[in-house]
Structure formats: C-alpha cells, structure tokens
Amino acid sequence: MTTVDTTMPRTDTSLSEPDLPELAFAGGLPGFPDAKRFALVEVEHSVLFVPRSLDEAGLEFVVAPPVVFFPDYVEEIDADDVEELGLETADDALLLVVLTLGDTVDQATANLQAPVVINQRTRVAAQVLLGKGEHSLRQPLRSADPAA
C-alpha cells in the first residue's frame, strides 16, 4: 500500500496552465467506460477543478483536494491501483475527491470512498475504491467546516 498526499496540487505541475492537462483514464469511469480522456480545468478563484470529457460531450464533474474540506483525510492506495497508475513514489499521486453540488452549500457532499487519483508525472488517472466502506460516499462538506 502507498500512502497518498492529499494536500493541494504541487506547483511544479500546475493544474492551471493554459494548455490544459489531459488526463488518461485507461479504464474509463464507473458508468462511463468510453470516457477515457479528460481535460482538467481549474475553476477560477476557487479550490475546485472540473475534469471535462474529451470523448463524451457534456460529461464533466467537480473535484477538489480533500485537504480543503477534510484536513485529516489520509488514504492508502492498494498495490493493484499503484501499479495500474504507474506510481513510483507517493509524491507522484494527486488525490481529488468527487463533489456533488446541491442547490445550497449545505447540500454539497464529497465522495471519500472513491476518489480520483492522478499520477502527476504521467497524467494517468483512475477513480479508485478505498477501504471496505470505511468512508462515506456522500460526506457533507459542511460537517467538515468547524465554523458551520
């Protein structure tokens, strides 16, 4: 198992370059097996990113580094996923949680059980299932905010 850095993306592989990084999901995404190529778009003035499909028009979702909402969230990726992603060191991995946005901030949730893991060197990515139900598929973002 490899412990993954869940902090903000490294600045030496900026995710806001004008030539948007193309992510390669070799196995596609759950429910979208033919969507294998995504451009990672940074949402201006926020901590959010939008992987936008280059294969299926209109397919996109919102992700964020978990440290923004869940500073204690630390995960290990199993050996099969490490091999599939070609991760040589923990620093290669960027972990992003998939967000579901509601009509209000109080309805927004994060999928902590199946984050997107990106090899920052090769830009190979996968949505991986962590643990055995130890994390929520719909963890409210507001519960992560001590001021809420």
Side-chain angles (χ1 to χ4, degrees), residues 71-125:
D72 297 330
Y73 181 77
V74 177
E75 277 314 316
E76 290 188 5
I77 302 173
D78 71 37
D80 291 339
D81 292 324
V82 168
E83 185 176 337
E84 177 186 336
L85 291 164
L87 300 172
E88 294 176 7
T89 70
D91 288 340
D92 288 346
L94 170 63
L95 189 139
L96 300 170
V97 293
V98 178
L99 303 181
T100 301
L101 306 177
D103 292 333
T104 68
V105 172
D106 290 333
Q107 296 172 333
T109 62
N111 179 344
L112 300 181
Q113 190 171 345
V116 170
V117 180
I118 301 168
N119 182 324
Q120 296 186 99
R121 267 185 315 100
T122 65
R123 296 190 174 149
V124 171

mmCIF file of all heavy atoms in Angstrom, residues 71-125:
data_model
loop_
_atom_site.group_PDB
_atom_site.id
_atom_site.type_symbol
_atom_site.label_atom_id
_atom_site.label_comp_id
_atom_site.label_asym_id
_atom_site.label_seq_id
_atom_site.Cartn_x
_atom_site.Cartn_y
_atom_site.Cartn_z
ATOM 1 N N PRO A 71 -9.109 18.035 6.424
ATOM 2 C CA PRO A 71 -7.660 18.094 6.604
ATOM 3 C C PRO A 71 -7.036 16.822 7.170
ATOM 4 O O PRO A 71 -5.843 16.582 6.974
ATOM 5 C CB PRO A 71 -7.451 19.278 7.546
ATOM 6 C CG PRO A 71 -8.786 19.687 8.021
ATOM 7 C CD PRO A 71 -9.826 19.054 7.177
ATOM 8 N N ASP A 72 -7.808 15.981 7.832
ATOM 9 C CA ASP A 72 -7.263 14.758 8.419
ATOM 10 C C ASP A 72 -7.428 13.537 7.521
ATOM 11 O O ASP A 72 -7.075 12.428 7.907
ATOM 12 C CB ASP A 72 -7.927 14.472 9.777
ATOM 13 C CG ASP A 72 -7.627 15.573 10.787
ATOM 14 O OD1 ASP A 72 -6.551 16.190 10.696
ATOM 15 O OD2 ASP A 72 -8.477 15.821 11.663
ATOM 16 N N TYR A 73 -7.963 13.735 6.325
ATOM 17 C CA TYR A 73 -8.207 12.632 5.388
ATOM 18 C C TYR A 73 -6.877 12.186 4.788
ATOM 19 O O TYR A 73 -6.237 12.903 4.029
ATOM 20 C CB TYR A 73 -9.155 13.114 4.302
ATOM 21 C CG TYR A 73 -9.540 12.094 3.246
ATOM 22 C CD1 TYR A 73 -10.463 11.101 3.518
ATOM 23 C CD2 TYR A 73 -9.011 12.167 1.966
ATOM 24 C CE1 TYR A 73 -10.856 10.199 2.540
ATOM 25 C CE2 TYR A 73 -9.397 11.271 0.985
ATOM 26 C CZ TYR A 73 -10.311 10.289 1.272
ATOM 27 O OH TYR A 73 -10.700 9.402 0.308
ATOM 28 N N VAL A 74 -6.420 10.995 5.172
ATOM 29 C CA VAL A 74 -5.193 10.407 4.652
ATOM 30 C C VAL A 74 -5.542 9.005 4.197
ATOM 31 O O VAL A 74 -6.199 8.260 4.929
ATOM 32 C CB VAL A 74 -4.088 10.351 5.733
ATOM 33 C CG1 VAL A 74 -2.852 9.667 5.216
ATOM 34 C CG2 VAL A 74 -3.766 11.747 6.226
ATOM 35 N N GLU A 75 -5.129 8.674 3.016
ATOM 36 C CA GLU A 75 -5.518 7.380 2.473
ATOM 37 C C GLU A 75 -4.339 6.597 1.941
ATOM 38 O O GLU A 75 -3.302 7.148 1.614
ATOM 39 C CB GLU A 75 -6.540 7.573 1.350
ATOM 40 C CG GLU A 75 -7.930 7.724 1.860
ATOM 41 C CD GLU A 75 -8.305 6.703 2.910
ATOM 42 O OE1 GLU A 75 -8.007 5.502 2.751
ATOM 43 O OE2 GLU A 75 -8.899 7.101 3.907
ATOM 44 N N GLU A 76 -4.548 5.291 1.864
ATOM 45 C CA GLU A 76 -3.583 4.393 1.246
ATOM 46 C C GLU A 76 -4.235 3.763 0.034
ATOM 47 O O GLU A 76 -5.402 3.378 0.070
ATOM 48 C CB GLU A 76 -3.144 3.319 2.234
ATOM 49 C CG GLU A 76 -2.297 3.868 3.351
ATOM 50 C CD GLU A 76 -1.695 2.770 4.217
ATOM 51 O OE1 GLU A 76 -1.858 1.582 3.889
ATOM 52 O OE2 GLU A 76 -1.064 3.125 5.210
ATOM 53 N N ILE A 77 -3.465 3.686 -1.024
ATOM 54 C CA ILE A 77 -3.938 3.069 -2.259
ATOM 55 C C ILE A 77 -3.368 1.664 -2.309
ATOM 56 O O ILE A 77 -2.186 1.458 -2.031
ATOM 57 C CB ILE A 77 -3.453 3.873 -3.474
ATOM 58 C CG1 ILE A 77 -3.951 5.300 -3.378
ATOM 59 C CG2 ILE A 77 -3.904 3.233 -4.766
ATOM 60 C CD1 ILE A 77 -3.378 6.200 -4.442
ATOM 61 N N ASP A 78 -4.206 0.691 -2.689
ATOM 62 C CA ASP A 78 -3.702 -0.682 -2.704
ATOM 63 C C ASP A 78 -2.718 -0.890 -3.854
ATOM 64 O O ASP A 78 -2.646 -0.110 -4.804
ATOM 65 C CB ASP A 78 -4.833 -1.710 -2.706
ATOM 66 C CG ASP A 78 -5.603 -1.794 -3.994
ATOM 67 O OD1 ASP A 78 -5.009 -1.660 -5.065
ATOM 68 O OD2 ASP A 78 -6.826 -2.025 -3.925
ATOM 69 N N ALA A 79 -1.953 -1.954 -3.761
ATOM 70 C CA ALA A 79 -0.858 -2.235 -4.690
ATOM 71 C C ALA A 79 -1.331 -2.343 -6.142
ATOM 72 O O ALA A 79 -0.631 -1.905 -7.065
ATOM 73 C CB ALA A 79 -0.128 -3.507 -4.272
ATOM 74 N N ASP A 80 -2.498 -2.918 -6.375
ATOM 75 C CA ASP A 80 -3.004 -3.037 -7.752
ATOM 76 C C ASP A 80 -3.237 -1.664 -8.376
ATOM 77 O O ASP A 80 -2.905 -1.445 -9.546
ATOM 78 C CB ASP A 80 -4.308 -3.851 -7.783
ATOM 79 C CG ASP A 80 -4.089 -5.317 -7.457
ATOM 80 O OD1 ASP A 80 -2.940 -5.804 -7.588
ATOM 81 O OD2 ASP A 80 -5.071 -5.983 -7.068
ATOM 82 N N ASP A 81 -3.816 -0.746 -7.611
ATOM 83 C CA ASP A 81 -4.059 0.602 -8.128
ATOM 84 C C ASP A 81 -2.751 1.358 -8.329
ATOM 85 O O ASP A 81 -2.594 2.101 -9.300
ATOM 86 C CB ASP A 81 -4.993 1.382 -7.200
ATOM 87 C CG ASP A 81 -6.408 0.829 -7.196
ATOM 88 O OD1 ASP A 81 -6.881 0.388 -8.265
ATOM 89 O OD2 ASP A 81 -7.040 0.824 -6.127
ATOM 90 N N VAL A 82 -1.797 1.178 -7.421
ATOM 91 C CA VAL A 82 -0.484 1.802 -7.555
ATOM 92 C C VAL A 82 0.158 1.348 -8.860
ATOM 93 O O VAL A 82 0.680 2.162 -9.636
ATOM 94 C CB VAL A 82 0.425 1.470 -6.348
ATOM 95 C CG1 VAL A 82 1.870 1.859 -6.616
ATOM 96 C CG2 VAL A 82 -0.089 2.154 -5.093
ATOM 97 N N GLU A 83 0.083 0.045 -9.125
ATOM 98 C CA GLU A 83 0.670 -0.494 -10.357
ATOM 99 C C GLU A 83 -0.067 0.021 -11.593
ATOM 100 O O GLU A 83 0.561 0.439 -12.567
ATOM 101 C CB GLU A 83 0.629 -2.024 -10.323
ATOM 102 C CG GLU A 83 1.324 -2.665 -11.504
ATOM 103 C CD GLU A 83 1.356 -4.175 -11.414
ATOM 104 O OE1 GLU A 83 1.243 -4.730 -10.302
ATOM 105 O OE2 GLU A 83 1.490 -4.805 -12.473
ATOM 106 N N GLU A 84 -1.398 0.011 -11.558
ATOM 107 C CA GLU A 84 -2.198 0.478 -12.700
ATOM 108 C C GLU A 84 -1.885 1.930 -13.046
ATOM 109 O O GLU A 84 -1.819 2.307 -14.221
ATOM 110 C CB GLU A 84 -3.688 0.346 -12.391
ATOM 111 C CG GLU A 84 -4.592 0.881 -13.490
ATOM 112 C CD GLU A 84 -6.065 0.885 -13.104
ATOM 113 O OE1 GLU A 84 -6.480 0.101 -12.234
ATOM 114 O OE2 GLU A 84 -6.793 1.703 -13.686
ATOM 115 N N LEU A 85 -1.677 2.748 -12.020
ATOM 116 C CA LEU A 85 -1.398 4.165 -12.227
ATOM 117 C C LEU A 85 0.085 4.449 -12.488
ATOM 118 O O LEU A 85 0.438 5.580 -12.832
ATOM 119 C CB LEU A 85 -1.873 4.971 -11.016
ATOM 120 C CG LEU A 85 -3.386 5.036 -10.841
ATOM 121 C CD1 LEU A 85 -3.745 5.512 -9.445
ATOM 122 C CD2 LEU A 85 -3.999 5.941 -11.898
ATOM 123 N N GLY A 86 0.942 3.452 -12.303
ATOM 124 C CA GLY A 86 2.367 3.643 -12.530
ATOM 125 C C GLY A 86 3.011 4.556 -11.505
ATOM 126 O O GLY A 86 3.978 5.262 -11.811
ATOM 127 N N LEU A 87 2.497 4.535 -10.277
ATOM 128 C CA LEU A 87 3.041 5.393 -9.221
ATOM 129 C C LEU A 87 4.357 4.808 -8.713
ATOM 130 O O LEU A 87 4.399 3.666 -8.276
ATOM 131 C CB LEU A 87 2.048 5.522 -8.070
ATOM 132 C CG LEU A 87 0.689 6.121 -8.437
ATOM 133 C CD1 LEU A 87 -0.270 6.002 -7.257
ATOM 134 C CD2 LEU A 87 0.833 7.561 -8.879
ATOM 135 N N GLU A 88 5.410 5.590 -8.785
ATOM 136 C CA GLU A 88 6.703 5.133 -8.286
ATOM 137 C C GLU A 88 6.955 5.605 -6.860
ATOM 138 O O GLU A 88 7.630 4.934 -6.098
ATOM 139 C CB GLU A 88 7.812 5.615 -9.223
ATOM 140 C CG GLU A 88 7.710 4.971 -10.604
ATOM 141 C CD GLU A 88 8.737 5.502 -11.583
ATOM 142 O OE1 GLU A 88 9.622 6.284 -11.178
ATOM 143 O OE2 GLU A 88 8.647 5.131 -12.772
ATOM 144 N N THR A 89 6.432 6.786 -6.528
ATOM 145 C CA THR A 89 6.546 7.305 -5.163
ATOM 146 C C THR A 89 5.203 7.922 -4.775
ATOM 147 O O THR A 89 4.381 8.226 -5.645
ATOM 148 C CB THR A 89 7.636 8.400 -5.043
ATOM 149 O OG1 THR A 89 7.194 9.568 -5.731
ATOM 150 C CG2 THR A 89 8.974 7.939 -5.600
ATOM 151 N N ALA A 90 5.021 8.140 -3.505
ATOM 152 C CA ALA A 90 3.787 8.766 -3.030
ATOM 153 C C ALA A 90 3.644 10.175 -3.594
ATOM 154 O O ALA A 90 2.532 10.651 -3.814
ATOM 155 C CB ALA A 90 3.751 8.785 -1.506
ATOM 156 N N ASP A 91 4.766 10.849 -3.860
ATOM 157 C CA ASP A 91 4.713 12.203 -4.416
ATOM 158 C C ASP A 91 4.150 12.236 -5.829
ATOM 159 O O ASP A 91 3.730 13.292 -6.307
ATOM 160 C CB ASP A 91 6.104 12.844 -4.409
ATOM 161 C CG ASP A 91 6.556 13.222 -3.016
ATOM 162 O OD1 ASP A 91 5.697 13.356 -2.119
ATOM 163 O OD2 ASP A 91 7.778 13.388 -2.823
ATOM 164 N N ASP A 92 4.156 11.108 -6.515
ATOM 165 C CA ASP A 92 3.580 11.044 -7.865
ATOM 166 C C ASP A 92 2.067 11.214 -7.831
ATOM 167 O O ASP A 92 1.469 11.634 -8.814
ATOM 168 C CB ASP A 92 3.867 9.691 -8.531
ATOM 169 C CG ASP A 92 5.315 9.533 -8.951
ATOM 170 O OD1 ASP A 92 6.055 10.530 -8.974
ATOM 171 O OD2 ASP A 92 5.699 8.382 -9.260
ATOM 172 N N ALA A 93 1.439 10.850 -6.717
ATOM 173 C CA ALA A 93 -0.022 10.782 -6.643
ATOM 174 C C ALA A 93 -0.653 12.098 -6.212
ATOM 175 O O ALA A 93 -0.207 12.745 -5.269
ATOM 176 C CB ALA A 93 -0.442 9.691 -5.677
ATOM 177 N N LEU A 94 -1.696 12.463 -6.928
ATOM 178 C CA LEU A 94 -2.558 13.567 -6.533
ATOM 179 C C LEU A 94 -3.939 12.974 -6.340
ATOM 180 O O LEU A 94 -4.475 12.342 -7.252
ATOM 181 C CB LEU A 94 -2.602 14.647 -7.613
ATOM 182 C CG LEU A 94 -3.659 15.742 -7.409
ATOM 183 C CD1 LEU A 94 -3.388 16.538 -6.129
ATOM 184 C CD2 LEU A 94 -3.692 16.668 -8.614
ATOM 185 N N LEU A 95 -4.496 13.144 -5.167
ATOM 186 C CA LEU A 95 -5.807 12.595 -4.845
ATOM 187 C C LEU A 95 -6.818 13.730 -4.815
ATOM 188 O O LEU A 95 -6.590 14.758 -4.180
ATOM 189 C CB LEU A 95 -5.732 11.894 -3.490
ATOM 190 C CG LEU A 95 -6.944 11.075 -3.091
ATOM 191 C CD1 LEU A 95 -6.490 9.781 -2.443
ATOM 192 C CD2 LEU A 95 -7.816 11.858 -2.155
ATOM 193 N N LEU A 96 -7.934 13.556 -5.541
ATOM 194 C CA LEU A 96 -9.011 14.541 -5.576
ATOM 195 C C LEU A 96 -10.323 13.835 -5.265
ATOM 196 O O LEU A 96 -10.570 12.747 -5.785
ATOM 197 C CB LEU A 96 -9.102 15.190 -6.963
ATOM 198 C CG LEU A 96 -7.849 15.935 -7.435
ATOM 199 C CD1 LEU A 96 -7.979 16.310 -8.904
ATOM 200 C CD2 LEU A 96 -7.603 17.176 -6.583
ATOM 201 N N VAL A 97 -11.153 14.445 -4.428
ATOM 202 C CA VAL A 97 -12.452 13.848 -4.123
ATOM 203 C C VAL A 97 -13.506 14.431 -5.055
ATOM 204 O O VAL A 97 -13.473 15.614 -5.401
ATOM 205 C CB VAL A 97 -12.860 14.030 -2.641
ATOM 206 C CG1 VAL A 97 -11.926 13.230 -1.738
ATOM 207 C CG2 VAL A 97 -12.882 15.482 -2.222
ATOM 208 N N VAL A 98 -14.437 13.580 -5.463
ATOM 209 C CA VAL A 98 -15.527 13.987 -6.340
ATOM 210 C C VAL A 98 -16.603 14.645 -5.486
ATOM 211 O O VAL A 98 -17.016 14.093 -4.462
ATOM 212 C CB VAL A 98 -16.102 12.777 -7.105
ATOM 213 C CG1 VAL A 98 -17.277 13.198 -7.977
ATOM 214 C CG2 VAL A 98 -15.017 12.106 -7.940
ATOM 215 N N LEU A 99 -17.030 15.830 -5.907
ATOM 216 C CA LEU A 99 -18.048 16.570 -5.169
ATOM 217 C C LEU A 99 -19.390 16.480 -5.885
ATOM 218 O O LEU A 99 -19.451 16.467 -7.114
ATOM 219 C CB LEU A 99 -17.655 18.044 -5.045
ATOM 220 C CG LEU A 99 -16.314 18.351 -4.388
ATOM 221 C CD1 LEU A 99 -16.094 19.859 -4.337
ATOM 222 C CD2 LEU A 99 -16.218 17.744 -3.005
ATOM 223 N N THR A 100 -20.440 16.417 -5.104
ATOM 224 C CA THR A 100 -21.802 16.542 -5.613
ATOM 225 C C THR A 100 -22.331 17.846 -5.059
ATOM 226 O O THR A 100 -22.403 18.020 -3.839
ATOM 227 C CB THR A 100 -22.680 15.357 -5.156
ATOM 228 O OG1 THR A 100 -22.103 14.145 -5.636
ATOM 229 C CG2 THR A 100 -24.091 15.496 -5.694
ATOM 230 N N LEU A 101 -22.654 18.757 -5.954
ATOM 231 C CA LEU A 101 -23.120 20.074 -5.533
ATOM 232 C C LEU A 101 -24.636 20.075 -5.481
ATOM 233 O O LEU A 101 -25.293 19.577 -6.389
ATOM 234 C CB LEU A 101 -22.625 21.140 -6.499
ATOM 235 C CG LEU A 101 -21.109 21.156 -6.721
ATOM 236 C CD1 LEU A 101 -20.739 22.207 -7.749
ATOM 237 C CD2 LEU A 101 -20.366 21.368 -5.416
ATOM 238 N N GLY A 102 -25.179 20.622 -4.411
ATOM 239 C CA GLY A 102 -26.635 20.726 -4.277
ATOM 240 C C GLY A 102 -27.088 22.140 -4.593
ATOM 241 O O GLY A 102 -26.299 22.974 -5.047
ATOM 242 N N ASP A 103 -28.342 22.392 -4.332
ATOM 243 C CA ASP A 103 -28.884 23.737 -4.541
ATOM 244 C C ASP A 103 -28.293 24.742 -3.557
ATOM 245 O O ASP A 103 -28.216 25.929 -3.837
ATOM 246 C CB ASP A 103 -30.405 23.731 -4.417
ATOM 247 C CG ASP A 103 -31.067 22.972 -5.559
ATOM 248 O OD1 ASP A 103 -30.470 22.898 -6.661
ATOM 249 O OD2 ASP A 103 -32.174 22.445 -5.349
ATOM 250 N N THR A 104 -27.872 24.232 -2.399
ATOM 251 C CA THR A 104 -27.249 25.091 -1.386
ATOM 252 C C THR A 104 -25.943 24.442 -0.944
ATOM 253 O O THR A 104 -25.705 23.254 -1.163
ATOM 254 C CB THR A 104 -28.160 25.258 -0.152
ATOM 255 O OG1 THR A 104 -28.253 24.001 0.526
ATOM 256 C CG2 THR A 104 -29.548 25.761 -0.543
ATOM 257 N N VAL A 105 -25.104 25.236 -0.292
ATOM 258 C CA VAL A 105 -23.838 24.718 0.226
ATOM 259 C C VAL A 105 -24.085 23.576 1.211
ATOM 260 O O VAL A 105 -23.332 22.608 1.252
ATOM 261 C CB VAL A 105 -23.035 25.858 0.907
ATOM 262 C CG1 VAL A 105 -21.814 25.319 1.613
ATOM 263 C CG2 VAL A 105 -22.645 26.915 -0.112
ATOM 264 N N ASP A 106 -25.150 23.669 1.975
ATOM 265 C CA ASP A 106 -25.470 22.638 2.966
ATOM 266 C C ASP A 106 -25.744 21.281 2.328
ATOM 267 O O ASP A 106 -25.653 20.251 2.989
ATOM 268 C CB ASP A 106 -26.680 23.049 3.815
ATOM 269 C CG ASP A 106 -26.354 24.203 4.743
ATOM 270 O OD1 ASP A 106 -25.178 24.349 5.126
ATOM 271 O OD2 ASP A 106 -27.274 24.972 5.069
ATOM 272 N N GLN A 107 -26.096 21.261 1.052
ATOM 273 C CA GLN A 107 -26.405 20.004 0.363
ATOM 274 C C GLN A 107 -25.200 19.404 -0.358
ATOM 275 O O GLN A 107 -25.282 18.287 -0.861
ATOM 276 C CB GLN A 107 -27.539 20.226 -0.637
ATOM 277 C CG GLN A 107 -28.841 20.608 0.025
ATOM 278 C CD GLN A 107 -29.897 21.021 -0.985
ATOM 279 O OE1 GLN A 107 -29.590 21.499 -2.066
ATOM 280 N NE2 GLN A 107 -31.151 20.823 -0.616
ATOM 281 N N ALA A 108 -24.084 20.110 -0.430
ATOM 282 C CA ALA A 108 -22.895 19.618 -1.129
ATOM 283 C C ALA A 108 -22.246 18.488 -0.346
ATOM 284 O O ALA A 108 -22.138 18.535 0.884
ATOM 285 C CB ALA A 108 -21.902 20.754 -1.328
ATOM 286 N N THR A 109 -21.811 17.457 -1.080
ATOM 287 C CA THR A 109 -21.160 16.312 -0.447
ATOM 288 C C THR A 109 -19.881 15.930 -1.206
ATOM 289 O O THR A 109 -19.688 16.325 -2.353
ATOM 290 C CB THR A 109 -22.086 15.077 -0.412
ATOM 291 O OG1 THR A 109 -22.395 14.682 -1.752
ATOM 292 C CG2 THR A 109 -23.361 15.359 0.371
ATOM 293 N N ALA A 110 -19.039 15.147 -0.543
ATOM 294 C CA ALA A 110 -17.817 14.633 -1.140
ATOM 295 C C ALA A 110 -17.829 13.115 -1.066
ATOM 296 O O ALA A 110 -18.253 12.539 -0.058
ATOM 297 C CB ALA A 110 -16.591 15.167 -0.397
ATOM 298 N N ASN A 111 -17.351 12.484 -2.119
ATOM 299 C CA ASN A 111 -17.205 11.036 -2.143
ATOM 300 C C ASN A 111 -15.809 10.714 -1.614
ATOM 301 O O ASN A 111 -14.820 10.829 -2.344
ATOM 302 C CB ASN A 111 -17.385 10.514 -3.572
ATOM 303 C CG ASN A 111 -17.220 9.011 -3.669
ATOM 304 O OD1 ASN A 111 -16.695 8.366 -2.765
ATOM 305 N ND2 ASN A 111 -17.646 8.452 -4.779
ATOM 306 N N LEU A 112 -15.737 10.321 -0.345
ATOM 307 C CA LEU A 112 -14.451 9.997 0.275
ATOM 308 C C LEU A 112 -14.059 8.540 0.052
ATOM 309 O O LEU A 112 -12.921 8.163 0.290
ATOM 310 C CB LEU A 112 -14.509 10.294 1.779
ATOM 311 C CG LEU A 112 -14.801 11.746 2.161
ATOM 312 C CD1 LEU A 112 -14.802 11.896 3.678
ATOM 313 C CD2 LEU A 112 -13.823 12.704 1.511
ATOM 314 N N GLN A 113 -14.987 7.745 -0.409
ATOM 315 C CA GLN A 113 -14.727 6.318 -0.593
ATOM 316 C C GLN A 113 -14.088 6.006 -1.942
ATOM 317 O O GLN A 113 -13.365 5.025 -2.076
ATOM 318 C CB GLN A 113 -16.019 5.522 -0.444
ATOM 319 C CG GLN A 113 -15.792 4.034 -0.386
ATOM 320 C CD GLN A 113 -17.046 3.289 -0.013
ATOM 321 O OE1 GLN A 113 -18.014 3.859 0.469
ATOM 322 N NE2 GLN A 113 -17.035 2.008 -0.237
ATOM 323 N N ALA A 114 -14.361 6.843 -2.955
ATOM 324 C CA ALA A 114 -13.842 6.560 -4.297
ATOM 325 C C ALA A 114 -13.278 7.827 -4.934
ATOM 326 O O ALA A 114 -13.881 8.413 -5.829
ATOM 327 C CB ALA A 114 -14.938 5.953 -5.168
ATOM 328 N N PRO A 115 -12.103 8.271 -4.469
ATOM 329 C CA PRO A 115 -11.505 9.486 -5.036
ATOM 330 C C PRO A 115 -10.883 9.215 -6.405
ATOM 331 O O PRO A 115 -10.679 8.073 -6.803
ATOM 332 C CB PRO A 115 -10.424 9.832 -4.016
ATOM 333 C CG PRO A 115 -10.011 8.505 -3.470
ATOM 334 C CD PRO A 115 -11.287 7.697 -3.417
ATOM 335 N N VAL A 116 -10.581 10.298 -7.093
ATOM 336 C CA VAL A 116 -9.810 10.224 -8.332
ATOM 337 C C VAL A 116 -8.349 10.366 -7.932
ATOM 338 O O VAL A 116 -7.987 11.273 -7.178
ATOM 339 C CB VAL A 116 -10.215 11.358 -9.296
ATOM 340 C CG1 VAL A 116 -9.267 11.437 -10.475
ATOM 341 C CG2 VAL A 116 -11.649 11.150 -9.770
ATOM 342 N N VAL A 117 -7.522 9.448 -8.428
ATOM 343 C CA VAL A 117 -6.087 9.517 -8.171
ATOM 344 C C VAL A 117 -5.397 9.751 -9.508
ATOM 345 O O VAL A 117 -5.663 9.039 -10.487
ATOM 346 C CB VAL A 117 -5.556 8.228 -7.508
ATOM 347 C CG1 VAL A 117 -4.058 8.347 -7.248
ATOM 348 C CG2 VAL A 117 -6.302 7.960 -6.207
ATOM 349 N N ILE A 118 -4.529 10.749 -9.530
ATOM 350 C CA ILE A 118 -3.824 11.130 -10.754
ATOM 351 C C ILE A 118 -2.326 10.950 -10.536
ATOM 352 O O ILE A 118 -1.777 11.419 -9.536
ATOM 353 C CB ILE A 118 -4.106 12.604 -11.108
ATOM 354 C CG1 ILE A 118 -5.607 12.828 -11.296
ATOM 355 C CG2 ILE A 118 -3.308 13.036 -12.335
ATOM 356 C CD1 ILE A 118 -6.004 14.293 -11.351
ATOM 357 N N ASN A 119 -1.669 10.285 -11.483
ATOM 358 C CA ASN A 119 -0.212 10.236 -11.488
ATOM 359 C C ASN A 119 0.232 11.570 -12.079
ATOM 360 O O ASN A 119 0.018 11.834 -13.260
ATOM 361 C CB ASN A 119 0.289 9.063 -12.330
ATOM 362 C CG ASN A 119 1.804 8.963 -12.320
ATOM 363 O OD1 ASN A 119 2.502 9.968 -12.307
ATOM 364 N ND2 ASN A 119 2.308 7.740 -12.343
ATOM 365 N N GLN A 120 0.827 12.420 -11.254
ATOM 366 C CA GLN A 120 1.200 13.768 -11.693
ATOM 367 C C GLN A 120 2.311 13.770 -12.732
ATOM 368 O O GLN A 120 2.445 14.724 -13.488
ATOM 369 C CB GLN A 120 1.609 14.629 -10.493
ATOM 370 C CG GLN A 120 0.447 14.854 -9.533
ATOM 371 C CD GLN A 120 0.793 15.817 -8.437
ATOM 372 O OE1 GLN A 120 0.444 16.991 -8.516
ATOM 373 N NE2 GLN A 120 1.488 15.335 -7.410
ATOM 374 N N ARG A 121 3.101 12.709 -12.779
ATOM 375 C CA ARG A 121 4.168 12.617 -13.783
ATOM 376 C C ARG A 121 3.619 12.263 -15.153
ATOM 377 O O ARG A 121 3.977 12.856 -16.158
ATOM 378 C CB ARG A 121 5.181 11.532 -13.393
ATOM 379 C CG ARG A 121 6.363 11.958 -12.615
ATOM 380 C CD ARG A 121 7.352 10.811 -12.383
ATOM 381 N NE ARG A 121 6.738 9.538 -11.970
ATOM 382 C CZ ARG A 121 6.493 8.511 -12.788
ATOM 383 N NH1 ARG A 121 6.797 8.565 -14.051
ATOM 384 N NH2 ARG A 121 5.938 7.411 -12.318
ATOM 385 N N THR A 122 2.730 11.250 -15.197
ATOM 386 C CA THR A 122 2.266 10.712 -16.474
ATOM 387 C C THR A 122 0.857 11.163 -16.844
ATOM 388 O O THR A 122 0.436 10.966 -17.983
ATOM 389 C CB THR A 122 2.257 9.178 -16.426
ATOM 390 O OG1 THR A 122 1.294 8.742 -15.449
ATOM 391 C CG2 THR A 122 3.633 8.631 -16.080
ATOM 392 N N ARG A 123 0.126 11.714 -15.875
ATOM 393 C CA ARG A 123 -1.270 12.140 -16.024
ATOM 394 C C ARG A 123 -2.224 10.974 -16.295
ATOM 395 O O ARG A 123 -3.299 11.156 -16.848
ATOM 396 C CB ARG A 123 -1.404 13.242 -17.062
ATOM 397 C CG ARG A 123 -0.655 14.512 -16.623
ATOM 398 C CD ARG A 123 -0.944 15.674 -17.476
ATOM 399 N NE ARG A 123 -0.299 16.856 -16.902
ATOM 400 C CZ ARG A 123 0.139 17.860 -17.614
ATOM 401 N NH1 ARG A 123 0.000 17.860 -18.908
ATOM 402 N NH2 ARG A 123 0.703 18.881 -17.031
ATOM 403 N N VAL A 124 -1.817 9.795 -15.907
ATOM 404 C CA VAL A 124 -2.724 8.643 -15.906
ATOM 405 C C VAL A 124 -3.576 8.769 -14.654
ATOM 406 O O VAL A 124 -3.066 9.108 -13.580
ATOM 407 C CB VAL A 124 -1.933 7.313 -15.911
ATOM 408 C CG1 VAL A 124 -2.853 6.133 -15.680
ATOM 409 C CG2 VAL A 124 -1.172 7.161 -17.214
ATOM 410 N N ALA A 125 -4.877 8.508 -14.789
ATOM 411 C CA ALA A 125 -5.791 8.702 -13.665
ATOM 412 C C ALA A 125 -6.761 7.537 -13.560
ATOM 413 O O ALA A 125 -6.979 6.802 -14.523
ATOM 414 C CB ALA A 125 -6.566 10.006 -13.848
#
